[in-house]
Amino acid sequence: MIDTRLTRALGLTCPVVLAPMAGVAGGQLAAAVSEAGGLGLIGTGTSDWTETQFTESGREAIGIGFVTSQLTEDVLKQALTHRLRAIYLAHGDPRPFASMIHAAKVRLICQVQDLSDARLAVEAGAQVVVAQGAAAGGPSGPRSTLSLVPEVADYLHHADHDMLLLAAGGIADARGLAAAIVMGADGVVMGTRFRAAKEALVTPAQSEAILAATGDSTLRTDTGHRVLEQDRATELGEAAGLIQSVQTADEILTTLSAKAERLLTHAQRTVISKTARRP
């Protein structure tokens, strides 16, 4: 078990949050992730679809994610009628909805893509900040995960904000989880890896396409998303090449946690050993 501030605060056994992927992260997947020791979040769709997914999740405590710029008070009120562990807001100013979420005593998770977003998350009183970067940044593209996560960590530390920090963007295996923790994150948000979970709302053909894909097999669309070259309707992260099998959410998290723990232990021993040998 990897013990972090995230696992302690939310009572998890694995510091992984399921990305609330619309049309993919339904009630069964969210429930399976939560049951396996992570935090499961469902994506949003029509009101009827969302209610169906809450029903599908059973009694397992999960959360839900929204595109903030498309969220309304009525939709949020309806979501808050359910027993929620968290609400995840991305792509927009979270402050107009923060008071409702806090009043319901639900954790607010805010995805940020730069420092100005991080400041809005702080003003909204978010308990968790997700530094959403890209596998590789650039002057005209999103910030790189490798630079964004440490910078947000420094900002939260120096501003004396006791918020949990999660890393997201290009993380799909144990190496990504271990690296995120070393960079100062308390855990990660993973999407692409769970597209190949048995509980995900994907077709067999989409699963096969994911397994056959590599990072080179994806194309960037006008909206900046990555999609499989052979199926432009399937958004997919550049970490697709790291996915080798379709597994249950429990199998994914168990393997991920065990391998990441070994990597962190090995890295620590290697550093200590090299330091001890110095003259």
Side-chain angles (χ1 to χ4, degrees):
M1 174 180 172
I2 300 177
D3 181 45
T4 71
R5 293 193 308 158
L6 177 71
T7 59
R8 293 192 294 271
L10 275 66
L12 310 179
T13 58
C14 184
V16 173
V17 175
L18 168 66
M21 301 171 286
V24 175
Q28 290 187 8
L29 178 57
V33 170
S34 287
E35 188 175 3
L39 173 59
L41 305 175
I42 68 171
T44 52
T46 64
S47 58
D48 289 344
W49 184 89
T50 302
E51 290 303 308
T52 297
Q53 299 315 311
F54 275 118
T55 301
E56 292 285 338
S57 69
R59 300 181 61 84
E60 193 66 41
I62 62 172
I64 188 171
F66 294 103
V67 176
T68 316
S69 60
Q70 300 174 4
L71 183 59
T72 66
E73 286 192 3
D74 288 342
V75 170
L76 180 57
K77 286 179 182 177
Q78 180 59 33
L80 290 171
T81 63
H82 298 278
R83 183 170 63 102
L84 298 175
R85 293 181 75 180
I87 286 182
Y88 187 111
L89 299 183
H91 305 299
D93 186 350
R95 294 174 299 177
F97 306 102
S99 60
M100 287 178 59
I101 296 171
H102 295 319
K105 297 183 179 180
V106 175
R107 284 186 178 85
L108 172 58
I109 302 175
C110 289
Q111 178 181 300
V112 307
Q113 292 178 286
D114 52 37
L115 286 181
S116 62
D117 286 347
R119 296 186 184 98
L120 292 180
V122 168
E123 291 179 15
Q127 288 90 358
V128 184
V129 172
V130 179
Q132 170 71 52
S140 60
R143 291 281 305 274
S144 166
T145 304
L146 286 173
S147 67
L148 180 62
V149 173
E151 189 169 1
V152 173
D154 287 346
Y155 164 69
L156 295 176
H157 173 72
H158 293 308
D160 197 26
H161 297 301
D162 188 27
M163 294 177 168
L164 300 174
L165 174 63
L166 305 182
I171 300 171
D173 65 4
R175 291 167 293 185
L177 172 56
I181 291 174
V182 171
M183 287 191 291
D186 300 296
V188 300
V189 175
M190 294 177 61
T192 298
R193 179 62 188 95
F194 286 106
R195 287 181 178 273
K198 291 183 179 178
E199 300 90 347
L201 296 175
V202 297
T203 66
Q206 288 173 326
S207 292
E208 291 175 8
I210 290 170
L211 295 181
T214 68
D216 294 340
S217 304
T218 61
L219 297 174
R220 190 173 298 281
T221 66
D222 292 339
T223 60
H225 292 109
R226 283 279 176 173
V227 298
L228 281 179
E229 189 170 12
Q230 64 268 42
D231 183 4
R232 291 177 176 267
T234 304
E235 291 182 8
L236 191 66
E238 293 178 4
L242 301 176
I243 301 173
Q244 307 300 324
S245 62
V246 175
Q247 297 176 299
T248 65
D250 180 71
E251 291 169 336
I252 291 172
L253 289 183
T254 298
T255 302
L256 186 75
S257 184
K259 287 186 176 180
E261 188 172 7
R262 289 198 296 270
L263 286 169
L264 289 168
T265 300
H266 175 72
Q268 183 181 35
R269 288 174 178 170
T270 301
V271 170
I272 291 174
S273 176
K274 289 182 177 179
T275 301
R277 288 200 299 268
R278 289 178 182 174

